């Protein structure tokens, strides 16, 4: 049975509280004001330090776009609708290329990049899972892939262009031969080192997406050319990047960009 205090009891309680310097409002347990969430400009650099180099490379461009639009805003300010609007704005500004898919990839990556930020914010107790505005943001529906195998004629044409144009045909043809034989990704080729070559068994160790590692058989011809390339271009330490320019500088992703731009503009197809 619930006890309801009478007037004398209430008066006694008020007197006791007054002696203690406590007001009835203090007993209501008013929650302390919640600290304001950091701004995107403050938080994005911290998240960038916590992710892998691959994630930072993929999301970095989109984090920069978020900084351009919302750098001074706090994480708890944008709504799900605003995230969708920002994704559409990024999608509409995509540079149109021959393989463009209407900016869907840009919008998808923007939402993935901002979800990454908010997932870290939830883990840091800066916002609650229920207050995460990126959780319900929808990515564009993916279209069917347009990737397909190359015909022998098309592949011969690509190899011919690489071998007869550009400032380093030997490098370009070696790159193509490596990918044709191993089906490795660009990232796997760029981190290939001397210690990843097993000439006795004609195997190459490939480090690829998702931290996967695999040993791939290759032809004796490719193994010979890779080792000669390393010797001629100054790859001496076991941990040195293997693929290099004539001056000994390791190649970067830009080499692929230039190579495929040249093939695309030279090829009649």
């Amino acid at each position: 049975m619930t006890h309801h205090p009478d007037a004398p009891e209430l008066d006694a309680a008020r007197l006791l509280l007054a002696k203690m310097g406590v007001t009835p409002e203090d007993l209501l347990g008013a929650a302390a004001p919640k600290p304001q969430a950091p701004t995107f400009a403050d938080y994005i650099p911290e998240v960038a330090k916590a992710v892998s180099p691959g994630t930072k490379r993929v999301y970095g461009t989109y984090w920069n776009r978020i900084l351009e639009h919302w750098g001074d805003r706090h994480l708890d300010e944008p709504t799900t609708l605003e995230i969708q609007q920002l994704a559409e704005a990024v999608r509409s500004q995509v540079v149109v290329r021959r393989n463009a898919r209407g900016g869907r990839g840009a919008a998808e990556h923007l939402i993935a990049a901002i979800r990454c930020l908010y997932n870290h914010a939830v883990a840091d107790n800066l916002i609650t899972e229920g207050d995460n505005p990126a959780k319900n943001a929808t990515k564009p529906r993916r279209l069917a892939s347009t990737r397909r195998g190359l015909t022998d004629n098309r592949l011969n044409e690509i190899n011919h262009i690489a071998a007869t144009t550009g400032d380093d045909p030997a490098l370009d043809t070696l790159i193509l031969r490596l990918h044709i034989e191993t089906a490795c990704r660009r990232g796997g080729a760029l981190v290939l080192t001397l210690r990843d070559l097993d000439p006795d068994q004609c195997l190459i160790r490939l480090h690829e997406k998702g931290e996967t590692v695999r040993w791939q058989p290759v032809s004796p011809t490719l193994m010979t050319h890779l080792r000669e390339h390393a010797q001629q271009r100054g790859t001496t330490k076991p941990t040195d990047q293997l693929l290099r320019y004539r001056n000994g500088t390791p190649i970067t992703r830009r080499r692929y960009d230039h190579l495929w731009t040249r093939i695309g503009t030279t090829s009649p197809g």
Side-chain angles (χ1 to χ4, degrees):
M1 181 175 181
T2 303
H3 171 69
H4 297 284
D6 55 22
E9 291 176 323
L10 292 174
D11 289 339
R14 293 189 185 98
L15 179 60
L16 179 60
L17 290 175
K19 289 182 178 181
M20 296 173 61
V22 177
T23 67
E25 288 75 17
D26 294 332
L27 299 179
L28 295 177
K34 185 179 180 180
Q36 192 167 33
T39 64
F40 286 94
D42 290 332
Y43 198 59
I44 286 178
E46 297 304 313
V47 174
K49 296 176 185 176
V51 300
S52 67
T55 299
K56 184 177 180 180
R57 184 178 65 250
V58 173
Y59 290 164
T61 299
Y62 301 95
W63 286 341
N64 289 337
R65 299 300 298 274
I66 295 169
L67 288 173
E68 292 172 10
H69 288 81
W70 295 344
D72 294 333
R73 298 188 69 182
H74 296 270
L75 295 178
D76 53 2
E77 293 179 352
T79 64
T80 300
L81 178 60
E82 288 180 297
I83 291 174
Q84 297 285 176
Q85 291 170 339
L86 180 58
E88 286 303 310
V90 170
R91 176 176 177 172
S92 67
Q93 296 168 7
V94 168
V95 177
V96 178
R97 296 186 173 89
R98 294 199 306 175
N99 62 344
R101 314 291 312 270
R104 291 171 178 269
E108 181 178 347
H109 281 98
L110 185 283
I111 292 177
I114 203 165
R115 281 182 180 174
C116 177
L117 292 178
Y118 277 107
N119 287 340
H120 281 277
V122 170
D124 287 340
N125 294 318
L126 299 174
I127 62 170
T128 66
E129 181 62 34
D131 292 331
N132 180 353
K135 180 175 62 175
N136 294 323
T138 57
K139 296 181 179 180
R141 181 179 59 84
R142 286 193 176 184
L143 300 177
S145 176
T146 58
R147 293 183 179 181
R148 62 188 187 278
L150 296 173
T151 65
D152 289 342
N153 290 339
R154 185 63 168 158
L155 188 58
N156 290 336
E157 180 184 299
I158 289 172
N159 281 312
H160 176 74
I161 293 172
T164 56
T165 63
D167 59 0
D168 197 343
L171 172 62
D172 292 338
T173 53
L174 181 61
I175 290 173
L176 290 178
R177 180 68 179 266
L178 173 63
H179 287 283
I180 291 170
E181 286 203 24
T182 68
C184 68
R185 294 174 177 268
R186 175 170 58 178
L190 289 175
V191 298
L192 190 65
T193 65
L194 271 179
R195 68 180 178 185
D196 294 321
L197 304 184
D198 182 350
D200 293 332
Q201 301 184 73
C202 275
L203 295 174
I204 293 179
R205 181 170 53 188
L206 296 168
H207 303 262
E208 297 194 295
K209 187 176 181 180
E211 299 183 356
T212 59
V213 178
R214 62 185 173 95
W215 284 96
Q216 174 67 39
V218 297
S219 67
T221 301
L222 176 57
M223 181 63 71
T224 298
H225 283 304
L226 286 171
R227 298 182 70 193
E228 289 178 349
H229 175 90
Q231 182 179 13
Q232 295 167 1
R233 304 205 173 188
T235 309
T236 56
K237 298 179 181 178
T239 57
D240 282 348
Q241 182 177 328
L242 194 148
L243 296 174
R244 295 172 178 260
Y245 294 105
R246 287 196 182 96
N247 63 5
T249 303
I251 70 168
T252 66
R253 301 170 70 88
R254 296 287 293 174
R255 187 66 195 182
Y256 284 83
D257 296 338
H258 293 313
L259 172 59
W260 288 110
T261 297
R262 189 170 76 250
I263 291 173
T265 55
T266 306
S267 172

